[in-house]
């Protein structure tokens, strides 16, 4: 399991290098990665371009069907409601989450779509896989963003631009 989360972390790093919120996801089936993605919402001007959605689209294209039975997803941050719904619709077997998202998570934090007994499919969920590493990528990204904003403001003050 760890090797797949490491691949998801690589995707998160790509997102960070592109100025995107660093979330990465991979989908594995029978020991092979068949889908991978990282956030691209800003680049694509697309609110649905989350890491999970991109990985699901790629995996579905790979298998040639909308159902990803027997597939396992590894994602660095707890999926939102949109992504959790897509995970259920795709019939992904198991979901391995790095860091939880107490503000928007839909796999146990704010709500729990993937394990909702009222739905026709439930996903097996593992939480906290490489949690520290997954959290660190996000914390570092947002700290760097805050520092850049402070520097810009300070430079504007010095130059007389307010």
């Amino acid at each position: 399991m760890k090797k797949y989360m490491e691949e998801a972390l690589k995707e998160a790093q790509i997102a960070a290098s592109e100025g995107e919120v660093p979330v990465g996801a991979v989908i594995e089936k029978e020991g092979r990665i068949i889908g991978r993605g990282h956030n691209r919402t800003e680049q694509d001007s697309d609110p649905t371009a989350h890491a999970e959605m991109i990985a699901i689209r790629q995996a579905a294209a790979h298998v040639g069907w909308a159902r990803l039975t027997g597939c396992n997803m590894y994602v660095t941050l707890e999926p939102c409601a949109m992504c959790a719904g897509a995970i259920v619709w795709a019939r992904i077997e198991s979901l391995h989450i790095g860091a939880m998202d107490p503000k928007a998570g839909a796999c146990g934090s704010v709500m729990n779509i993937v394990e909702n007994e009222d739905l026709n499919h439930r996903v097996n969920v593992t939480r906290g896989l490489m949690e520290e590493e997954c959290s660190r990528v996000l914390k570092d990204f947002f700290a760097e963003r805050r520092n850049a904003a402070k520097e810009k403001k300070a430079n504007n003050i010095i130059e007389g631009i307010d």
Side-chain angles (χ1 to χ4, degrees), residues 13-148:
Q13 292 289 0
I14 293 168
S17 73
E18 295 172 351
E20 298 279 355
V21 174
V23 178
V26 298
I27 297 176
E28 170 269 326
K29 182 173 184 161
E30 297 172 353
R32 290 186 50 227
I33 293 175
I34 62 167
R36 58 176 62 235
H38 58 273
N39 278 2
R40 295 185 50 90
T41 57
E42 300 300 324
Q43 293 174 80
D44 294 353
S45 298
D46 180 357
T48 70
H50 289 195
E52 301 93 328
M53 301 297 282
I54 293 166
I56 288 169
R57 289 180 191 124
Q58 195 177 94
H62 177 84
V63 300
W65 196 36
R67 301 288 182 250
L68 298 176
T69 54
C71 292
N72 307 296
M73 178 180 275
Y74 297 79
V75 63
T76 59
L77 181 66
E78 179 183 5
C80 68
M82 173 184 68
C83 294
I87 290 164
V88 170
W89 279 108
R91 307 295 195 276
I92 289 175
E93 187 172 316
S94 67
L95 173 64
H96 305 277
I97 301 168
M100 297 302 283
D101 184 352
K103 294 183 180 179
C107 300
S109 288
V110 175
M111 62 185 81
N112 194 345
I113 293 171
V114 294
E115 294 175 307
N116 186 319
E117 293 189 12
D118 293 330
L119 298 177
N120 63 337
H121 176 72
R122 278 163 295 295
V123 180
N124 298 315
V125 181
T126 302
R127 295 170 183 86
L129 179 61
M130 296 180 65
E131 182 175 12
E132 188 174 317
E133 296 92 327
C134 293
S135 293
R136 177 61 39 215
V137 171
L138 289 157
K139 287 176 183 173
D140 289 350
F141 175 80
F142 286 111
E144 188 175 306
R145 221 180 208 188
R146 282 188 299 276
N147 288 339

